Amino acid sequence: MSLKDQTVVFFEELKRGDVDIVGGKNASLGEMVRELGKRGVQVPPGFATTANAFRSFLAANDLGVRITDLMDRLGAGKLTLQEAGQAIRKSIVEGDLPDDLEADIRTAYRDLGARSGVTDLPVAVRSSATAEDLPDASFAGQQETFLNVRGEAALLHACRRCFASLFTDRAITYRQLKGFDYAKVALSVGVQQMVRSDIGGSGVMFSIDTETGFDKTVMISAAWGLGENVVQGAVNPDEYQAFKPFLDDPSLTPILEKRLGAKEKKMIYAGASGGDIRNVPTSKAERAAFVLSDDEILELARHARTIEDHYGQPMDMEWAKDGNSGALFIVQARPETVQSRVEAGALKSYSVSGTGEVLLTGLSVGEAAVNGQVCLIETAADIDRFVDGAILVTSTTDPDWVPIMKRAAAIVTDHGGRTSHAAIVSRELGLPAIVGCGDATHVLHDEQVITVSCAEGEDGFVYAGHAEISVEEQRLDAVPDTTTDVMLNIANPAAAFRWWRLPVAGVGLARMEFVVNSAVKVHPMALVKFDALKDTAAREAIEELTSGYDDKPQYFVDQLARGLSRIAAVCHPKPVIIRMSDFKTNEYADLLGGRQFEPHEENPMIGFRGASRYYSDEYREGFALECRAIRRLREEMGFDNAIVMIPFCRTPAEADDVLRVMAENGLERGVNGLQVYVMCEVPSNVILAREFAKRFDGFSIGSNDLTQLTLGIDRDSELLAPLFRENDPAVLWMIETVIREAHAVGSKVGFCGQAPSNDPGYARTLVGFGIDSISVTPDSFLNVKQNVAAAEHRKSKRT
């Protein structure tokens, strides 16, 4: 008998092409059981009812005519969506399974239990529609899932409820939105052995970055207990990211991010007899702990990459960890349907200015920004109150909310992560959303005017009032080639992935102090000498930030290395030049615990900054932590494309001191391919260029400080602003001279100031001087690239 003619089929008999027989979800489970188990991907065993079984059920109960009549009346406006859906579902649930189908389900369930040695085996009963999980439709959560189902009677009832869920209000709406004919869609029921994730953990995983489409990362969400809370967005989960290209090397730990979620509750079995589930609060210990260890994160990431490679496309997966055995299972896999379909030749960039007070922060979904009025709806019973075009604010969403979500300008939720229902549907609808804000329904109110910004990286911001929003679309399909490398200046690791599609030559300037500010937040010496810290409020804040760290300096190393890794990953294996910390003393003092360790200076701009700090007893231990973070980035995480750059190095003797201290901390120039650059921003760097070139592999011109110190002008002085010109002949002489002197001894020179981003003529001047690379802000990359190409063309014609 062919598969199409059967009523029940075990997963191992299925393959991914059997969507018309068992739906996308069950076909994918069968494919993984058949093909990926031998590659280490564990999938819980199970079976599926077929489309033939569903149609025989409808026929046996004469439901076809009734469903058609109700759907026709809905289309004619004679019934509401709720009335039609409820009537169809009631008819299906009250129907009787044909004798042969019931017998086949009972036999398969007993067989599944016998395989595991458990009578009345707990199973997950999932719906799988024959039109779902196609390349242009996710059908996320449109049909029902029932967990911890035990016993034959309970299973048969769950199967009828799954059949009925083909006609939930949300599923009817979604099919209409996507243009699917309901009469051509059948429902397969997947019956899968439960993983004891109720005493373990579970979550969702994507083999692509869900917000930017960056294709070298795996994103994992995790919470304690059964996975429905993560899928539904009912909790704020842990979030992890791993770098795919390094997963084959067991000596590396390429985890780019570990974000601790609140994990406010967990879903567990309701009782020893089974058959039900319930939510309970998590303990303080569970909220403070990561669900997954580093080894488990990497194991799941390898599974994601294996599944993606097998299917040949980015994938959206659900996973579960058995609390008894500790084994990790993949329980679902479907194609990712949003970022994988984004047009590669265009890059749309939003920017927000003139913002009001920050009212809320959360996880950003999408990269857009909108202004609008709040429509606050706390329960699904009130969704009829929604005002078209408003910003939907709610605690969490589930598939019942889709009809109003598609009419919203943006979405803001109290709970949920990047893989929650609100996040998934918002991406599919192209809406900006901020999820996991914590108390949006408490802080915001109806008709309040707000700005929702998802344009500033992975953190989303809700601002009071109406901000200015600008949109720029850049085409990437006609970028000219240039001999001069055009690179990026990147400060914020949270936003780095936004620019992965730009055809850059690398990152010419990654500012470590920005990463310290955004990811670490604590003065390194306050961690080294925490026991001596006098500021009580700072101590409490640091204790909270470093929760789980017995070794507080290790917190600095971990957070800094991971923040830098996101920048290093975005253009790997191209070079990423990381400037060691260049805070001024007043800026260091603003870090948590910093005031106790920083002197007061009248002119911090030319004071205790840059290289002078690194070998000083006042900061040497803090610099050692910076070095440890770079070592971890290069040697433990694998990003040997990282180049170190020393800022504000005044003399060759000071360079020697810095290089010696670096070597003492395991960063020796030339060892393991380590290159060390120096900023050219002090006139002595130009005057003694050949001496500095003996000690460093390259120069990067910082035009702001070089202009300031060449012209003797405080760059922050409004009174002298008209005199502060980076194209002043004296400054240009400095730039041309250092390029000539460095090239004479084989040293490279780049430029990382802002001038080429603002002035096309400046870029042409640098090309004329023979600069090796120009590093610019991402939003000006394409313009500078065009200007450099034109300048190179004119230069070649002259020669």
Side-chain angles (χ1 to χ4, degrees):
M1 184 187 298
S2 70
L3 288 182
K4 287 187 176 181
D5 295 327
Q6 296 180 42
T7 57
V8 172
V9 184
F10 272 87
F11 287 161
E12 58 265 28
E13 302 174 62
L14 297 169
K15 56 186 183 303
R16 60 175 143 173
D18 293 329
V19 175
D20 60 330
I21 301 173
V22 293
K25 194 175 299 173
N26 289 333
S28 183
L29 286 169
E31 178 78 11
M32 288 191 293
V33 169
R34 282 168 62 115
E35 303 295 335
L36 298 183
K38 54 196 172 190
R39 297 178 61 183
V41 178
Q42 296 190 78
V43 178
F47 61 89
T49 65
T50 63
N52 175 56
F54 176 74
R55 293 189 177 105
S56 69
F57 168 78
L58 294 185
N61 291 276
D62 294 324
L63 291 174
V65 173
R66 175 160 175 73
I67 292 172
T68 298
D69 176 61
L70 290 167
M71 291 298 292
D72 287 346
R73 291 169 65 190
L74 170 63
K78 296 178 180 179
L79 289 177
T80 66
L81 173 64
Q82 291 77 12
E83 289 170 338
Q86 184 176 21
I88 294 172
R89 295 192 298 273
K90 183 174 185 292
S91 297
I92 293 175
V93 171
E94 291 177 351
D96 295 319
L97 294 171
D99 291 343
D100 60 336
L101 175 56
E102 179 175 333
D104 289 346
I105 292 173
R106 288 180 183 272
T107 299
Y109 178 62
R110 292 168 189 160
D111 188 1
L112 186 63
R115 294 184 188 186
S116 63
V118 178
T119 303
D120 288 344
L121 179 73
V123 291
V125 183
R126 306 180 189 275
S127 306
S128 179
T130 57
E132 73 177 351
D133 297 337
L134 300 179
D136 62 344
S138 73
F139 283 78
Q142 297 307 314
Q143 281 84 43
E144 298 288 359
T145 292
F146 303 98
L147 303 178
N148 194 28
V149 176
R150 300 191 187 192
E152 294 176 20
L155 173 59
L156 295 172
H157 181 62
C159 287
R160 290 195 299 274
R161 292 177 68 189
C162 280
F163 285 163
S165 74
L166 188 62
F167 293 94
T168 59
D169 296 352
R170 58 190 182 250
I172 294 171
T173 300
Y174 194 83
R175 283 196 297 273
Q176 291 174 338
L177 183 68
K178 288 292 182 179
F180 287 96
D181 183 350
Y182 78 90
K184 295 180 180 179
V185 180
L187 197 290
S188 166
V189 179
V191 179
Q192 187 176 35
Q193 181 176 337
M194 284 287 292
V195 176
R196 288 302 307 268
S197 58
D198 61 305
I199 53 174
S202 53
V204 178
M205 175 166 64
F206 285 83
S207 66
I208 190 172
D209 183 62
T210 55
E211 308 315 313
T212 66
F214 182 46
D215 58 1
K216 292 182 179 179
T217 187
V218 174
M219 193 184 80
I220 304 169
S221 297
W224 301 111
L226 303 174
E228 290 302 293
N229 282 335
V230 177
V231 174
Q232 295 170 3
V235 296
N236 296 338
D238 294 345
E239 290 196 352
Y240 318 108
Q241 288 196 356
F243 191 59
K244 284 191 285 191
F246 296 165
L247 290 173
D248 283 334
D249 189 338
S251 69
L252 299 178
T253 308
I255 299 173
L256 306 181
E257 181 178 44
K258 290 175 65 176
R259 183 192 288 253
L260 188 68
K263 306 182 293 293
E264 305 92 334
K265 57 187 175 181
K266 63 179 178 180
M267 187 175 287
I268 63 171
Y269 290 177
S273 60
D276 205 356
I277 54 176
R278 65 188 176 100
N279 272 310
V280 296
T282 47
S283 66
K284 290 182 179 179
E286 287 172 320
R287 295 175 199 175
F290 286 111
V291 174
L292 296 174
S293 68
D294 286 0
D295 287 344
E296 289 169 334
I297 293 168
L298 295 176
E299 181 182 344
L300 278 175
R302 292 186 185 102
H303 291 340
R305 189 196 54 187
T306 298
I307 294 168
E308 179 184 65
D309 289 347
H310 180 75
Y311 282 84
Q313 64 190 111
M315 297 295 287
D316 165 4
M317 296 145 281
E318 293 180 26
W319 61 271
K321 176 184 175 181
D322 190 290
N324 288 322
S325 68
L328 294 166
F329 293 87
I330 303 299
V331 296
Q332 284 192 45
R334 60 182 73 84
E336 194 277 338
T337 58
V338 178
Q339 289 297 342
S340 56
R341 297 176 58 82
V342 171
E343 182 187 358
L347 182 67
K348 187 175 287 188
S349 176
Y350 288 76
S351 59
V352 182
S353 60
T355 59
E357 175 191 359
V358 176
L359 301 176
L360 293 162
T361 62
L363 299 175
S364 68
V365 176
E367 298 181 296
V370 299
N371 297 306
Q373 287 192 344
V374 168
C375 185
L376 176 61
I377 298 179
E378 298 197 59
T379 67
D382 296 329
I383 60 177
D384 290 341
R385 286 185 46 246
F386 185 73
V387 179
D388 285 2
I391 295 171
L392 173 62
V393 176
T394 187
S395 178
T396 185
T397 69
D398 62 34
D400 288 327
W401 293 70
V402 172
I404 65 166
M405 292 173 74
K406 64 189 179 73
R407 292 154 43 202
I411 296 169
V412 179
T413 70
D414 289 340
H415 305 294
R418 292 186 211 283
T419 56
S420 63
H421 175 268
I424 291 172
V425 173
S426 295
R427 282 187 210 103
E428 189 167 325
L429 297 175
L431 298 176
I434 302 178
V435 299
C437 293
D439 56 354
T441 54
H442 178 71
V443 172
L444 303 177
H445 61 79
D446 270 337
E447 301 184 16
Q448 182 177 5
V449 176
I450 60 172
T451 299
V452 173
S453 173
C454 297
E456 301 168 66
E458 60 188 23
D459 292 322
F461 298 89
V462 177
Y463 297 106
H466 191 286
E468 293 297 320
I469 298 172
S470 58
V471 187
E472 182 178 355
E473 183 169 292
Q474 304 178 41
R475 299 297 307 180
L476 305 179
D477 42 14
V479 180
D481 292 327
T482 58
T483 302
T484 308
D485 288 336
V486 181
M487 308 172 81
L488 293 187
N489 294 338
I490 295 182
N492 183 1
F497 289 176
R498 295 177 63 188
W499 311 110
W500 73 274
R501 287 189 172 92
L502 291 177
V504 302
V507 174
L509 177 62
R511 299 178 175 94
M512 181 182 286
E513 62 272 13
F514 279 71
V515 182
V516 172
N517 234 337
S518 62
V520 181
K521 301 180 173 62
V522 183
H523 194 291
M525 295 303 294
L527 295 167
V528 171
K529 299 188 175 182
F530 182 75
D531 291 341
L533 187 61
K534 300 173 184 176
D535 186 333
T536 303
R539 285 181 65 92
E540 292 176 355
I542 293 170
E543 286 280 20
E544 183 174 351
L545 280 173
T546 60
S547 174
Y549 280 90
D550 294 328
D551 177 9
K552 294 196 182 301
Q554 187 63 41
Y555 163 82
F556 184 95
V557 175
D558 287 352
Q559 297 301 315
L560 180 55
R562 289 196 195 108
L564 292 171
S565 75
R566 293 172 63 82
I567 299 174
V570 76
C571 62
H572 182 271
K574 297 171 184 175
V576 173
I577 302 173
I578 299 170
R579 187 178 71 188
M580 305 301 276
S581 67
D582 193 28
F583 284 122
K584 288 74 176 174
T585 49
N586 58 319
E587 295 168 336
Y588 267 115
D590 286 338
L591 293 171
L592 275 173
R595 298 206 176 278
Q596 182 175 329
F597 302 99
E598 294 297 327
H600 172 74
E601 295 183 298
E602 293 300 327
N603 192 350
M605 186 71 76
I606 54 174
F608 188 45
R609 62 175 286 199
S612 61
R613 299 180 66 93
Y614 304 158
Y615 56 89
S616 165
D617 289 340
E618 300 299 316
Y619 188 74
R620 183 191 295 261
E621 292 171 286
F623 183 64
L625 297 186
E626 296 182 24
C627 292
R628 281 173 56 188
I630 296 293
R631 281 192 65 188
R632 178 167 181 199
L633 176 72
R634 287 176 52 85
E635 298 172 15
E636 297 177 28
M637 301 183 76
F639 292 102
D640 55 7
N641 60 323
I643 295 170
V644 171
M645 184 158 65
I646 305 303
F648 226 80
C649 188
R650 295 169 169 95
T651 69
E654 186 168 63
D656 292 336
D657 288 337
V658 171
L659 291 170
R660 184 184 66 254
V661 172
M662 287 178 61
E664 290 170 358
N665 285 286
L667 291 179
E668 185 172 354
R669 180 187 170 208
V671 175
N672 296 324
L674 177 65
Q675 294 185 61
V676 184
Y677 282 31
V678 65
M679 289 290 293
C680 177
E681 53 194 341
V682 181
S684 59
N685 301 142
V686 179
I687 297 166
L688 298 175
R690 296 199 184 201
E691 287 299 313
F692 281 99
K694 293 176 183 178
R695 294 160 171 82
F696 295 102
D697 296 287
F699 295 82
S700 184
I701 298 169
S703 57
N704 281 341
D705 275 323
L706 188 60
T707 300
Q708 172 177 245
L709 296 173
T710 299
L711 299 179
I713 294 173
D714 180 352
R715 72 190 202 194
D716 293 333
S717 171
E718 294 182 10
L719 294 174
L720 299 178
L723 295 175
F724 189 90
R725 293 187 301 119
E726 291 168 286
N727 61 356
D728 185 277
V731 178
L732 294 179
W733 182 90
M734 288 282 190
I735 293 171
E736 185 177 21
T737 300
V738 76
I739 293 172
R740 183 181 65 247
E741 291 294 294
H743 283 178
V745 293
S747 188
K748 293 182 177 181
V749 183
F751 188 99
C752 62
Q754 183 64 22
S757 299
N758 300 332
D759 180 5
Y762 207 92
R764 292 194 292 270
T765 297
L766 292 174
V767 171
F769 289 163
I771 198 82
D772 295 297
S773 65
I774 298 175
S775 188
V776 298
T777 55
D779 57 341
S780 62
F781 170 80
L782 292 178
N783 287 336
V784 172
K785 189 78 167 169
Q786 297 282 358
N787 293 331
V788 168
E792 289 181 347
H793 179 67
R794 281 192 292 270
K795 185 177 179 181
S796 66
K797 289 180 69 175
R798 288 197 304 269
T799 56

